[in-house]
Amino acid sequence: MGQILAIDYGKARTGIAVTDDMQIIASGLTTVETPKLLDFLKKYFSENAVDEIVVGLPTDLKGNMSDIETEIQKFISIFEKEFPDKKINRLDERFTSKMASFFISQSGKNKKQRQEKGLIDKVSATIILQNFLEQKR
Protein backbone atom coordinates (compact mmCIF):
# COMPACT_ATOMS: atom_id res chain seq x y z
CA MET A 1 0.00 0.00 0.00
CA GLY A 2 1.32 3.45 -0.90
CA GLN A 3 0.67 6.94 0.33
CA ILE A 4 -2.18 9.27 -0.52
CA LEU A 5 -1.07 12.80 -1.39
CA ALA A 6 -3.32 15.86 -0.98
CA ILE A 7 -3.03 19.10 -2.91
CA ASP A 8 -4.41 22.47 -1.81
CA TYR A 9 -3.92 24.19 -5.16
CA GLY A 10 -3.36 27.94 -5.23
CA LYS A 11 -2.40 30.52 -7.81
CA ALA A 12 0.98 31.25 -6.22
CA ARG A 13 1.57 28.37 -3.78
CA THR A 14 0.26 24.86 -3.37
CA GLY A 15 0.07 23.06 -0.05
CA ILE A 16 1.00 19.37 -0.01
CA ALA A 17 0.14 16.74 2.59
CA VAL A 18 0.68 12.97 2.60
CA THR A 19 -0.36 9.91 4.53
CA ASP A 20 1.92 7.29 5.93
CA ASP A 21 2.24 4.10 3.86
CA MET A 22 -0.62 2.50 5.83
CA GLN A 23 -2.87 5.45 4.89
CA ILE A 24 -3.77 6.15 8.52
CA ILE A 25 -2.17 9.49 9.42
CA ALA A 26 -2.27 12.72 7.40
CA SER A 27 0.77 14.99 7.77
CA GLY A 28 1.68 18.30 6.18
CA LEU A 29 4.62 17.84 3.83
CA THR A 30 5.51 21.16 2.23
CA THR A 31 4.40 24.14 0.23
CA VAL A 32 5.49 24.38 -3.42
CA GLU A 33 5.40 27.32 -5.78
CA THR A 34 2.55 26.37 -8.11
CA PRO A 35 4.57 26.72 -11.36
CA LYS A 36 7.01 24.13 -9.92
CA LEU A 37 4.29 21.71 -8.76
CA LEU A 38 4.58 19.12 -11.56
CA ASP A 39 8.38 18.97 -11.21
CA PHE A 40 7.99 18.48 -7.45
CA LEU A 41 5.44 15.68 -7.98
CA LYS A 42 7.65 13.89 -10.55
CA LYS A 43 10.53 13.85 -8.07
CA TYR A 44 8.31 12.89 -5.12
CA PHE A 45 6.62 10.05 -7.02
CA SER A 46 10.00 8.70 -8.14
CA GLU A 47 11.11 8.47 -4.49
CA ASN A 48 7.84 7.45 -2.79
CA ALA A 49 5.01 5.04 -3.50
CA VAL A 50 1.86 7.13 -3.95
CA ASP A 51 -1.37 5.31 -4.84
CA GLU A 52 -3.68 8.26 -5.34
CA ILE A 53 -4.07 11.99 -4.87
CA VAL A 54 -6.77 14.24 -3.47
CA VAL A 55 -7.22 17.69 -4.95
CA GLY A 56 -9.28 20.27 -3.08
CA LEU A 57 -12.53 21.32 -4.72
CA PRO A 58 -12.95 25.06 -4.04
CA THR A 59 -16.58 26.04 -3.58
CA ASP A 60 -18.30 28.95 -1.88
CA LEU A 61 -21.09 28.74 0.69
CA LYS A 62 -23.70 28.31 -2.04
CA GLY A 63 -21.77 25.46 -3.67
CA ASN A 64 -20.53 27.52 -6.63
CA MET A 65 -17.04 26.91 -7.93
CA SER A 66 -14.46 29.58 -7.18
CA ASP A 67 -12.37 31.17 -9.93
CA ILE A 68 -9.31 28.99 -9.22
CA GLU A 69 -11.23 25.87 -10.36
CA THR A 70 -10.42 26.69 -14.00
CA GLU A 71 -6.70 26.54 -13.15
CA ILE A 72 -7.20 23.34 -11.16
CA GLN A 73 -8.93 21.70 -14.14
CA LYS A 74 -5.94 22.60 -16.35
CA PHE A 75 -3.59 21.13 -13.74
CA ILE A 76 -5.65 17.92 -13.49
CA SER A 77 -5.64 17.53 -17.27
CA ILE A 78 -1.84 17.78 -17.37
CA PHE A 79 -1.51 15.55 -14.29
CA GLU A 80 -3.61 12.80 -15.91
CA LYS A 81 -1.30 12.79 -18.95
CA GLU A 82 1.89 12.81 -16.84
CA PHE A 83 0.70 10.24 -14.28
CA PRO A 84 -2.00 8.05 -15.87
CA ASP A 85 -1.58 5.41 -13.13
CA LYS A 86 -2.51 7.79 -10.28
CA LYS A 87 -6.15 7.96 -9.22
CA ILE A 88 -7.44 11.52 -8.71
CA ASN A 89 -10.05 12.29 -6.07
CA ARG A 90 -11.72 15.64 -5.43
CA LEU A 91 -12.88 16.81 -2.01
CA ASP A 92 -14.79 19.93 -0.99
CA GLU A 93 -12.30 22.27 0.64
CA ARG A 94 -14.76 24.81 2.04
CA PHE A 95 -13.50 26.39 5.26
CA THR A 96 -10.13 24.58 5.21
CA SER A 97 -8.14 27.84 5.15
CA LYS A 98 -10.18 29.23 8.04
CA MET A 99 -9.80 25.97 9.96
CA ALA A 100 -6.06 25.96 9.22
CA SER A 101 -5.71 29.53 10.52
CA PHE A 102 -7.61 28.58 13.67
CA PHE A 103 -5.51 25.47 14.33
CA ILE A 104 -2.30 27.41 13.74
CA SER A 105 -3.44 30.14 16.16
CA GLN A 106 -4.10 27.48 18.79
CA SER A 107 -0.70 25.85 18.28
CA GLY A 108 1.30 28.47 20.17
CA LYS A 109 3.04 29.86 17.10
CA ASN A 110 3.98 33.54 17.26
CA LYS A 111 2.13 36.13 15.16
CA LYS A 112 4.70 36.13 12.35
CA GLN A 113 4.60 32.32 12.10
CA ARG A 114 0.78 32.32 12.15
CA GLN A 115 0.63 34.75 9.23
CA GLU A 116 2.95 32.70 7.02
CA LYS A 117 0.72 31.85 4.06
CA GLY A 118 2.72 28.74 3.14
CA LEU A 119 1.98 27.25 6.55
CA ILE A 120 -1.74 27.86 6.05
CA ASP A 121 -1.58 26.12 2.64
CA LYS A 122 0.24 23.10 4.09
CA VAL A 123 -2.20 22.80 7.01
CA SER A 124 -5.14 23.22 4.62
CA ALA A 125 -3.83 20.31 2.53
CA THR A 126 -3.54 18.26 5.71
CA ILE A 127 -7.16 19.02 6.63
CA ILE A 128 -8.31 18.06 3.12
CA LEU A 129 -6.41 14.77 3.41
CA GLN A 130 -7.70 14.02 6.91
CA ASN A 131 -11.28 14.64 5.77
CA PHE A 132 -10.70 12.35 2.79
CA LEU A 133 -9.37 9.59 5.04
CA GLU A 134 -12.38 9.91 7.34
CA GLN A 135 -14.81 9.68 4.40
CA LYS A 136 -12.93 6.69 3.01
CA ARG A 137 -13.33 4.75 6.26
Side-chain angles (χ1 to χ4, degrees):
M1 187 179 294
Q3 300 173 346
I4 301 172
L5 182 139
I7 295 174
D8 181 31
Y9 192 94
K11 289 182 181 181
R13 288 172 318 282
T14 296
I16 309 284
V18 293
T19 65
D20 58 304
D21 289 339
M22 298 293 293
Q23 300 180 359
I24 298 171
I25 300 167
S27 302
L29 180 64
T30 192
T31 303
V32 177
E33 293 175 30
T34 299
K36 298 178 181 176
L37 179 57
L38 280 171
D39 290 335
F40 171 84
L41 293 174
K42 285 177 191 175
K43 184 175 187 321
Y44 191 83
F45 293 163
S46 73
E47 298 169 354
N48 299 276
V50 176
D51 290 343
E52 56 190 305
I53 69 163
V54 183
V55 180
L57 183 65
T59 55
D60 63 19
L61 290 174
K62 295 179 182 176
N64 300 316
M65 293 296 144
S66 75
D67 296 339
I68 191 73
E69 179 62 16
T70 303
E71 297 300 315
I72 294 172
Q73 287 298 322
K74 290 177 189 173
F75 164 75
I76 288 174
S77 178
I78 294 167
F79 182 92
E80 288 173 327
K81 290 176 184 138
E82 287 283 332
F83 310 104
D85 61 324
K86 304 287 186 227
K87 181 180 178 189
I88 301 171
N89 303 284
R90 300 298 306 274
L91 188 77
D92 187 343
E93 66 173 53
R94 260 181 281 197
F95 306 116
T96 57
S97 292
K98 286 185 175 143
M99 289 170 44
S101 294
F102 173 76
F103 291 140
I104 291 166
S105 73
Q106 299 299 304
S107 71
K109 302 246 185 243
N110 66 39
K111 185 175 181 179
K112 186 176 181 180
Q113 290 170 319
R114 289 193 309 260
Q115 292 175 337
E116 182 189 329
K117 295 205 185 301
L119 179 59
I120 292 171
D121 296 332
K122 182 169 64 171
V123 173
S124 293
T126 307
I127 293 168
I128 291 167
L129 185 53
Q130 187 63 48
N131 289 343
F132 178 76
L133 291 173
E134 288 171 10
Q135 284 185 7
K136 198 171 178 180
R137 291 186 185 116

